[in-house]
Amino acid sequence: MTTDGNITANLTPLPDKVGVEGLEDKWTHTWDDEQTFAFQGDRDRTSVYSIDTPPPTVSGHLHVGHVFSYTHTDIVARYKRMCGYDVFYPMGWDDNGLPTERRVQNYYGVRVDTSLKYNPDFKPPFEGTEGKKVNARDQVACSRQNFIELCEKLSAQDEQQFKDLWVRLGLSVDWKNSYHTIGKRARRVAQKGFLRNLQRGEAYQKEAPGLWDVTFQTAVAQAELESREYPGFYHKLAFHKTDGTDVYIETTRPELLPACVALIANPNDERYKDLFGTTVTSPLFGVEVPVLAHPAAEMDKGAGIAMCCTFGDVTDVSWWRDLHLPTRSILMRNGRINTEIPEWITSPQGQEIYAQMSGKTTFSARTVIVDALQESGELIGEPSATTRMTNFYEKGDKPLEIITSRQWYLHNGGTDLKLRQELLNRGAELKFHPDFMRVRYNNWVDGLNSDWLISRQRFFGVPFPLWYPVQENGEIDYDHPLIPTEDRLPIDPTSDVPEGFAEEQRDQPCGFTAETDIMDTWATSSMTPQIVTHWDEHDGLFEKTFPMDLRPQGQDIIRTWLFSSIVRAHLENHALPWSDTNLSGWILDPDHKKMSKSKGNVVIPKEPIDKFGADAVRYWAACAKLGVDATYDTGQMKIGRRLAIKLLNATKFALAIGREDKNHHVNDSSQVTWDAANVTEPLDQAVMAKLSTVIREATAALDEYDHAHALSIIETFFWEFCDDYIELVKDRAYGTTTCSEQAMISARTTLGLGLDAFARLFAPYLPFVTEEIWHWMHDGEGSVHTAPWPSADFYEQITHSTAESLLDNAGAALAALRKIKSEAKVSMKTPILSVTLKAVPQAQREIQESLSDIACAGKVTGDITLTDLQHDDFIAAGLEGSTEEELQQKAADSFIILTAEHVLGEPPVKK
RNA sequence: GGGCGAUUGGCGCAGCGGCUAGCGCACUUCGUUCACACCGAAGGGGUCGUAGGUUCGAUUCCUACAUCGCCCACCA
């Protein structure tokens, strides 16, 4: 307990032998029993620190990357808690999305059929057949609600292994505050958010050509695209001019020839100027198409003149739109060629070729077309191989096609420049750690080319809370959606019925029909700040926690999770969702390759934790700065383990000394007071001075989210404290020297104050070992993790203006004495009968102040003579300088202490 | 093609317009079991990717290049 000027400790019996084993189990249970990390929620926003924790994908696999970034966040949480904040640190589970959908399908052998109604007695055909691949035809159909229930059931199992890991790692999460992204609250927030967007005109639907994945048969958004290299062939095709001559185009997609609507060249291209305004006929099909000019046509690409099809790529779409071209679509949603012969193909020969390719995949259709072209002589030369970059859905393995469909969009600045600027301003307002990551945000927002497509033609996910009226003639009136009242949310339109309608009217003339699309998973994830803070629930939590303080996340999802969250909060709450964001780096394997499942180099987090302990693994993570990639390095974990053990040993030692009186009798008093007023010796005051500086610097670093720098400062001083200070004051603290009672108390007090401070300084990093040593000192006073973060001012006032350089010079003097023995290859216990130390005058004064401690620690039995450094000594020490003053200053700054004449005694006799 | 980051002893990383470029691991030598062998002490080892420039002075700032990683754009 800290009071003004002193710290009272309740000492508990110390173990004979210390170790880090067992600490994790011991303290995780205590923290759980005592609800050490529970959010209190009884103070206002300024006293709360709230964290928008990333919900891990529960169907995904655990790997050390998880440990890495979640440790960084936990360090922040623990630090802020010690700073007095009521820390709101929830945990979410992401079970909304394709990976979970697939996992549920395979695990239970089920699939969603939105035409089915909820069946409360539904039983999946089997359960828990990991690895057994179920043929899609054998999956049993169930309603979406039944599927979601199975998903929640399975997620609960998956979650457990994540939770076990987080607990084991010591994450100070408040487990009472957890959520699922497919859970009821998340669905309600996502649907309510969407309806509010709709009311304000920010969400809209549109029938338009868009990127489409033929495997998953869904539209995909710009944020889900991935460019990949894709092999192909250039085919040179002859189109026929009216004068009987040909014009040649090059294409990698000859199978789209039936969908050709125009040939297009650059308006400045002399080669084709004469052709603009004329028509040509297509090879094989003989369809007449115009030759048109458009500035987007590049003269040096291919033949300089392109075939515009509806639709081969996004350029086709812009030509089609700008030049008001007809739509001649031949691709079906499953990626196969439409089976109906299009009405624009009129020649019998063309119809026959089309019939051969209908129903085929684009790949097979291409073969048909190429063979036919070769036969007709309209393919010039052999196709030449090429590699091009093509858009893929990030989870797909076939190139995206362009399909016209009705979709829901949300304004995100992709089309509205004013909104785009507002979102850029939000990005400028947000504090990125590290700062250079904001460039990625700006790049992304600047490069948006469309609004956010939020509808997906999938079955598992949060449904759009909408129905549409069915007209008398059976047609669906998409322009006047039926909207539920907010108090009904969440709803599923495929099982719930709009107000004023009855179930019997579903899909009937004059009735209603459900919107069967679901929302993009990011449409839900983008609202995690609103989900965790209970937005619009009027239970008081929102006001205490929103806008949040921190969003930790991966750098790979800046364009998705981070950006979409800012969009939603900007539109809904007119605020940034959080003030700061922490971006973690990647984990690289020892060969500097990014760890990923596909590379097969993933390390399961349990392994290093079992081997080195949670504190050690956390130490490894904590050594890496935010945004910097880290190598998986067990060597670093060993160092963490060593540090943890050193903390135990040093604390045990110092506390044991403190309990012995001058005659080595154990003092059984369990309570001691480390009164700052008792720090009377200059060396002890110097330690307090340095501690104060260390706290000040570490605190500043942590406030800037630089946990690695703070750790390095604390750790460096801790080792100096052990290797130099403890060694120097050992004997004085024992009272075995001829020092005064007060000098002994001063040493014991300083050791106590120092170790008490180290326990707290290391607590965010090494929560288990620090909790252990804290309880040796402060049993019955609660957790170190709710203890106050050390105050630099407290230790500074103890120093009485003693400079911390006194500690450095005393340490350097001790090192000089050790060097004598090390070079003489004798034991450190060998006495030095007499010695001369050379140092600058300032250092001599400081050594004089701690001379008896130095003599004791160095086993100097006779005189220590202090003398000035000579010019040759500076040179010998490698110093350079033009003036004597400069050399003196350099020697003082580097604590140069040399030894001259010395007489060694007899080494102690070995037993 | 545009951009971001990295490049420092064998390895993993700090650092910074000038202090003798630090730390840990590994290495060498020595010691020790009375806090700690899950230990201690002392020591060796780097012309800071390359080439220019700014400066009295560059590992640090600027320019170009190289290598590695990543983001964005690129389908005729």
Side-chain angles (χ1 to χ4, degrees):
Chain A
M1 182 175 291
T2 310
T3 56
D4 211 24
N6 65 56
I7 291 177
T8 303
N10 283 317
L11 303 178
T12 58
L14 297 166
D16 289 337
K17 183 88 179 157
V18 299
V20 293
E21 280 71 26
L23 297 183
E24 288 152 30
D25 213 36
K26 175 178 176 186
W27 293 114
T28 50
H29 284 105
T30 307
W31 294 334
D32 187 43
D33 291 347
E34 298 183 355
Q35 288 293 295
T36 309
F37 309 124
F39 175 64
Q40 303 301 319
D42 53 3
R43 289 187 283 162
D44 68 5
R45 182 70 196 82
T46 56
S47 307
V48 169
Y49 188 86
S50 58
I51 302 172
D52 186 15
T53 320
T57 306
V58 290
S59 52
H61 292 265
L62 290 164
H63 77 94
V64 284
H66 286 114
V67 165
F68 183 66
S69 53
Y70 281 82
T71 296
H72 293 165
T73 305
D74 187 60
I75 290 166
V76 175
R78 287 182 186 268
Y79 169 65
K80 294 292 179 185
R81 200 176 286 115
M82 293 178 78
C83 287
Y85 289 99
D86 188 7
V87 174
F88 182 66
Y89 187 13
M91 181 60 70
W93 311 104
D94 186 13
D95 47 10
N96 175 4
L98 270 177
T100 309
E101 176 179 328
R102 280 189 194 146
R103 178 151 156 71
V104 172
Q105 282 178 338
N106 287 323
Y107 195 88
Y108 292 110
V110 294
R111 67 182 158 83
V112 176
D113 183 339
T114 51
S115 69
L116 293 176
K117 297 289 158 292
Y118 176 65
N119 173 4
D121 301 320
F122 179 77
K123 291 270 183 300
F126 50 79
E127 193 171 331
T129 49
E130 285 296 351
K132 180 172 151 187
K133 196 87 178 177
V134 183
N135 197 305
R137 281 184 192 81
D138 300 333
Q139 288 169 348
V140 174
C142 67
S143 73
R144 176 149 56 204
Q145 186 56 38
N146 283 114
F147 194 88
I148 287 175
E149 283 179 6
L150 288 174
C151 169
E152 288 183 323
K153 194 172 160 193
L154 183 56
S155 291
Q157 297 175 24
D158 289 339
E159 261 170 54
Q160 197 55 44
Q161 39 162 333
F162 270 89
K163 185 177 172 183
D164 289 348
L165 173 67
W166 295 156
V167 168
R168 185 91 199 281
L169 188 64
L171 295 195
S172 59
V173 162
D174 180 356
W175 295 101
K176 290 195 303 304
N177 287 304
S178 58
Y179 67 93
H180 291 233
T181 55
I182 198 65
K184 194 171 178 183
R185 171 173 282 131
R187 278 181 285 149
R188 185 173 60 231
V189 169
Q191 292 188 336
K192 192 186 279 190
F194 169 76
L195 290 181
R196 299 276 179 97
N197 292 134
L198 187 59
Q199 277 166 20
R200 291 191 297 261
E202 293 147 3
Y204 62 93
Q205 55 181 332
K206 191 173 76 171
E207 171 109 8
L211 293 165
W212 183 271
D213 186 280
V214 298
T215 310
F216 294 99
Q217 296 193 42
T218 181
V220 300
Q222 191 184 353
E224 294 168 300
L225 301 184
E226 200 172 278
S227 282
R228 291 182 211 155
E229 285 198 339
Y230 191 68
F233 290 89
Y234 281 124
H235 304 76
K236 191 170 180 184
L237 270 51
F239 277 70
H240 314 299
K241 295 194 261 188
T242 43
D243 65 3
T245 61
D246 288 342
V247 58
Y248 305 104
I249 62 106
E250 284 190 31
T251 179
T252 54
R253 304 210 51 190
E255 72 277 15
L256 291 179
L257 187 56
C260 179
V261 290
L263 295 192
I264 296 179
N266 191 283
N268 301 319
D269 196 329
E270 295 298 331
R271 294 171 293 178
Y272 303 111
K273 263 189 174 166
D274 293 345
L275 281 175
F276 295 142
T278 68
T279 60
V280 294
T281 55
S282 60
L284 297 181
F285 299 97
V287 175
E288 188 172 347
V289 296
V291 181
L292 301 170
H294 193 281
E298 294 175 36
M299 287 190 262
D300 52 356
K301 231 177 195 176
I305 186 161
M307 154 173 105
C308 173
C309 306
T310 51
F311 299 94
D313 62 38
V314 289
T315 321
D316 286 342
V317 178
S318 59
W319 286 336
W320 166 81
R321 189 176 290 136
D322 293 352
L323 302 170
H324 307 287
L325 297 167
T327 309
R328 290 175 183 164
S329 152
I330 59 163
L331 262 189
M332 297 190 293
R333 294 187 167 201
N334 60 6
R336 288 172 183 269
I337 307 294
N338 206 324
T339 46
E340 271 177 48
I341 294 176
E343 82 276 359
W344 61 86
I345 297 174
T346 51
S347 76
Q349 182 217 1
Q351 290 180 343
E352 197 196 313
I353 292 165
Y354 188 89
Q356 286 174 36
M357 59 192 280
S358 83
K360 291 196 154 67
T361 62
T362 53
F363 188 81
S364 314
R366 186 175 309 163
T367 317
V368 172
I369 289 267
V370 170
D371 289 350
L373 284 166
Q374 250 157 358
E375 200 169 310
S376 71
E378 288 164 308
L379 178 68
I380 312 304
E382 283 297 307
S384 62
T386 177
T387 304
R388 61 217 166 98
M389 296 302 283
T390 304
N391 280 326
F392 285 75
Y393 174 41
E394 57 190 0
K395 295 189 172 72
D397 49 16
K398 284 188 178 160
L400 293 174
E401 296 290 355
I402 291 173
I403 299 275
T404 300
S405 58
R406 182 187 61 84
Q407 302 289 347
W408 281 97
Y409 294 85
L410 184 62
H411 283 303
N412 69 347
T415 55
D416 176 348
L417 290 182
K418 181 173 165 284
L419 177 60
R420 178 178 302 200
Q421 190 53 53
E422 287 168 7
L423 292 167
L424 285 168
N425 293 345
R426 289 293 184 202
E429 215 182 307
L430 180 65
K431 282 172 260 167
F432 285 80
H433 306 283
D435 188 65
F436 65 78
M437 290 288 184
R438 75 170 64 251
V439 177
R440 300 193 185 195
Y441 176 88
N442 292 336
N443 278 351
W444 178 252
V445 180
D446 274 330
L448 287 170
N449 54 33
S450 64
D451 279 333
W452 177 10
L453 179 123
I454 54 168
S455 47
R456 296 290 182 277
Q457 288 65 57
R458 301 296 307 173
F459 317 102
F460 171 65
V462 178
F464 282 88
L466 298 172
W467 305 265
Y468 303 102
V470 179
Q471 294 168 340
E472 262 177 276
N473 61 8
E475 278 186 24
I476 298 168
D477 178 9
Y478 289 111
D479 294 334
H480 302 92
L482 303 165
I483 296 163
T485 54
E486 284 189 350
D487 58 351
R488 293 183 65 193
L489 302 176
I491 63 136
D492 182 343
T494 63
S495 55
D496 295 307
V497 174
E499 283 95 334
F501 287 85
E503 180 59 36
E504 295 72 49
Q505 291 174 276
R506 187 182 293 275
D507 300 324
Q508 297 299 318
C510 301
F512 69 93
T513 190
E515 169 61 88
T516 53
D517 283 0
I518 56 157
M519 295 185 199
D520 176 9
T521 57
W522 296 114
T524 306
S525 302
S526 61
M527 298 197 80
T528 54
Q530 290 83 357
I531 293 168
V532 292
T533 62
H534 295 191
W535 164 65
D536 211 41
E537 290 185 32
H538 312 289
D539 62 0
L541 184 63
F542 186 71
E543 291 70 25
K544 292 186 182 100
T545 50
F546 190 93
M548 303 184 79
D549 292 280
L550 182 66
R551 156 64 72 81
Q553 65 160 72
Q555 53 185 305
D556 51 332
I557 49 175
I558 290 175
R559 65 178 182 173
T560 48
W561 196 31
L562 187 121
F563 172 62
S564 62
S565 301
I566 291 177
V567 171
R568 301 306 287 274
H570 177 72
L571 296 176
E572 190 60 55
N573 311 102
H574 312 291
L576 265 182
W578 353 261
S579 60
D580 293 72
T581 182
N582 284 359
L583 288 313
S584 296
W586 305 118
I587 294 302
L588 310 174
D589 70 13
D591 297 326
H592 278 210
K593 294 277 183 301
K594 184 181 157 187
M595 267 194 194
S596 67
K597 205 181 147 201
S598 57
K599 290 197 182 75
N601 57 358
V602 171
V603 174
I604 313 291
K606 193 177 174 302
E607 293 170 9
I609 296 178
D610 284 345
K611 194 163 177 195
F612 303 105
D615 280 336
V617 174
R618 288 174 63 105
Y619 174 88
W620 158 72
C623 283
K625 289 191 294 187
L626 288 169
V628 174
D629 296 346
T631 311
Y632 178 73
D633 184 2
T634 53
Q636 203 69 4
M637 295 176 195
K638 284 183 194 159
I639 299 163
R641 184 182 168 86
R642 193 174 72 124
L643 174 64
I645 292 166
K646 190 80 176 179
L647 263 170
L648 291 171
N649 278 311
T651 307
K652 182 188 123 186
F653 176 59
L655 292 179
I657 292 176
R659 256 180 281 187
E660 292 179 18
D661 69 13
K662 216 169 178 177
N663 301 313
H664 269 245
H665 291 132
V666 174
N667 174 352
D668 60 3
S669 145
S670 66
Q671 195 170 72
V672 298
T673 299
W674 296 317
D675 186 343
N678 280 329
V679 181
T680 48
E681 296 296 301
L683 179 66
D684 303 339
Q685 291 171 345
V687 168
M688 292 292 107
K690 193 144 191 176
L691 178 59
S692 149
T693 304
V694 162
I695 293 168
R696 210 176 294 286
E697 289 176 359
T699 304
L702 282 165
D703 284 338
E704 289 301 312
Y705 296 96
D706 192 351
H707 51 254
H709 188 219
L711 173 58
S712 132
I713 291 167
I714 296 163
E715 190 189 0
T716 303
F717 181 49
F718 174 67
W719 285 103
E720 186 181 355
F721 185 85
C722 291
D723 295 341
D724 291 347
Y725 179 71
I726 293 182
E727 292 301 323
L728 282 164
V729 297
K730 233 179 198 176
D731 293 307
R732 174 154 58 90
Y734 269 126
T736 51
T737 62
T738 54
C739 68
S740 68
E741 177 91 8
Q742 179 53 45
M744 178 187 81
I745 291 170
S746 177
R748 290 184 180 185
T749 304
T750 308
L751 286 169
L753 289 174
L755 290 161
D756 169 87
F758 281 121
R760 288 184 281 154
L761 290 170
F762 280 117
Y765 301 95
L766 311 172
F768 297 104
V769 73
T770 51
E771 188 74 308
E772 177 73 11
I773 59 179
W774 182 255
H775 281 261
W776 294 347
M777 298 180 260
H778 299 285
D779 203 37
E781 296 174 43
S783 167
V784 68
H785 303 294
T786 49
W789 182 252
S791 143
D793 292 342
F794 173 81
Y795 299 96
E796 193 178 341
Q797 46 131 15
I798 302 176
T799 68
H800 300 287
S801 306
T802 302
E804 53 186 77
S805 59
L806 196 150
L807 174 65
D808 296 303
N809 276 314
L814 179 60
L817 298 177
R818 285 166 174 162
K819 189 172 177 175
I820 290 174
K821 300 177 199 180
S822 202
E823 285 178 347
K825 302 194 174 185
V826 296
S827 157
M828 288 296 145
K829 284 185 174 169
T830 309
I832 297 176
L833 303 180
S834 70
V835 62
T836 299
L837 292 176
K838 296 168 143 190
V840 297
Q842 161 74 17
Q844 288 181 40
R845 278 193 296 278
E846 292 186 337
I847 290 168
Q848 194 65 51
E849 296 244 49
S850 51
L851 199 65
S852 60
D853 289 333
I854 293 168
C856 265
K859 305 276 184 280
V860 182
T861 54
D863 289 337
I864 298 179
T865 312
L866 295 172
T867 177
D868 288 340
L869 287 159
Q870 302 303 311
H871 188 77
D872 288 350
D873 296 325
F874 295 124
I875 308 304
L879 296 183
E880 288 169 28
S882 44
T883 65
E884 199 70 13
E885 287 73 35
E886 204 180 317
L887 288 168
Q888 292 277 352
Q889 189 57 50
K890 284 185 177 182
D893 291 347
S894 315
F895 311 109
I896 300 288
I897 292 169
L898 303 177
T899 51
E901 308 81 54
H902 58 264
V903 181
L904 277 172
E906 284 298 311
V909 183
K910 280 184 191 170
K911 288 169 195 164

